[in-house]
Amino acid sequence: YTITLTDADTIKFSITKATPAAPVMPVLKESTSDTVTLETIEVTDPVAVKAGAAVEYGIIDAENATKWQAEPVFTGLKGDTTYRFTARHGATNNTEASAASDVLEVKTPVGGIVIDTPTIVGVPEGTEGISVTADKLGEAVNAGDEVVFTLTGNKAKEASYVPYGFTINGEAVECGKIDKDTRSCQVTYTVQAADVEKGSIDAEALFTRLGNINTDDKINAGDALLIQRSAAGLGNPLSAEKMVAADVNMDGRVNAGDALVIKRYAAGLT
């Protein structure tokens, strides 16, 4: 158009930006515990195409406010949480931003690995009073998180079992000192990146029977003799399991006092 104005003419123009239609609802491409990736939306609306508008992707918070961004990848999210996503044609010099699309809801998967109850080893089936717990039992943990396991033995007169070891994925993990009153000890483990990659932690709590030094499942003078020989530095050193089994009075030492307790037990005096 050509408009010719004279000195006395005044013309006012009001130019209103066009508004493209909303794009289609976003589609989920993939999600992890901390990231959601949407499929890229193609610009097909004629107004948006002509103006060179790009699609913007938004995440809607709990107050229904939308945070817009150019890329369809959202990071820094939390696992096991539902998020809402939308899209729009962004504003240009000649067009307004479009209305938002329909909303896509995505629930992120549980992050890390879930801590299960460790397997108890060395205790006959049906033995009462044995327990293994964890402070994050049933929770999802990630690399760098600490998990504290508590292993508790029983106080049965005939068959008393106490913890002596702990393994994770076949590797020994140091146990804390056994508490004499509760007959429990604690194991603190830091979750490794390899655990998360594997998807699980295979934990075993190892128990032994107090006083059963020669592993014949009987408490008698033979066990007392092994303790006396060990205290005197005779014979082969006792294994870690047998050292725990030998400390029947649970004073943290293996000596004649433990042998005496076993002799009295074998004689029916305790």
Side-chain angles (χ1 to χ4, degrees):
Y1 297 95
T2 301
I3 300 175
T4 302
L5 303 177
T6 65
D7 291 342
D9 293 326
T10 299
I11 299 177
K12 292 183 179 180
F13 292 92
S14 178
I15 300 176
T16 301
K17 290 184 177 181
T19 302
V24 297
M25 184 179 75
V27 174
L28 176 65
K29 183 176 183 180
E30 62 181 0
S31 68
T32 66
S33 61
D34 61 0
T35 302
V36 167
T37 302
L38 307 176
E39 294 284 0
T40 300
I41 298 175
E42 182 181 358
V43 178
T44 58
D45 177 79
V47 175
V49 170
K50 187 175 181 179
V55 173
E56 296 178 336
Y57 304 87
I59 183 169
I60 306 170
D61 64 22
E63 285 72 39
N64 289 320
T66 303
K67 182 179 180 180
W68 297 100
Q69 61 183 52
E71 300 300 324
V73 180
F74 295 83
T75 59
L77 308 180
K78 295 181 179 180
D80 197 28
T81 304
T82 298
Y83 292 92
R84 296 180 295 160
F85 301 94
T86 185
R88 72 179 182 185
H89 291 112
T92 70
N93 290 335
N94 297 314
T95 58
E96 302 283 2
S98 74
S101 70
D102 290 336
V103 173
L104 170 70
E105 288 193 353
V106 176
K107 186 174 184 179
T108 52
V110 174
I113 53 178
V114 176
I115 299 299
D116 294 322
T117 301
T119 301
I120 295 176
V121 178
V123 179
E125 187 175 352
T127 302
E128 297 182 350
I130 306 295
S131 70
V132 181
T133 61
D135 63 339
K136 293 181 174 66
L137 191 65
E139 298 180 18
V141 295
N142 286 285
D145 291 342
E146 283 192 347
V147 182
V148 179
F149 298 90
T150 301
L151 290 60
T152 303
N154 62 357
K155 297 181 179 180
K157 181 178 180 180
E158 297 298 328
S160 183
Y161 292 85
V162 292
Y164 76 89
F166 195 79
T167 67
I168 289 183
N169 300 328
E171 299 291 332
V173 180
E174 184 178 357
C175 294
K177 183 179 179 181
I178 298 177
D179 183 272
K180 182 176 181 179
D181 295 327
T182 63
R183 296 200 174 181
S184 64
C185 66
Q186 289 190 327
V187 177
T188 301
Y189 179 71
T190 301
V191 179
Q192 305 298 306
D195 299 325
V196 177
E197 183 177 350
K198 181 184 177 213
S200 65
I201 290 178
D202 299 325
E204 290 187 337
L206 312 178
F207 285 76
T208 189
R209 184 179 176 185
L210 273 180
N212 187 28
I213 319 305
N214 59 14
T215 65
D216 64 356
D217 209 28
K218 298 176 183 178
I219 311 298
N220 52 34
D223 300 296
L225 178 60
L226 286 176
I227 291 176
Q228 289 175 317
R229 287 177 60 83
S230 174
L234 303 175
N236 295 325
L238 297 180
S239 66
E241 176 182 1
K242 290 181 179 180
M243 284 294 289
V244 173
D247 186 17
V248 291
N249 61 11
M250 305 189 75
D251 64 354
R253 300 186 296 272
V254 175
N255 52 32
D258 299 296
L260 178 60
V261 172
I262 288 180
K263 289 178 180 179
R264 290 178 58 82
Y265 174 85
L269 299 178
T270 57

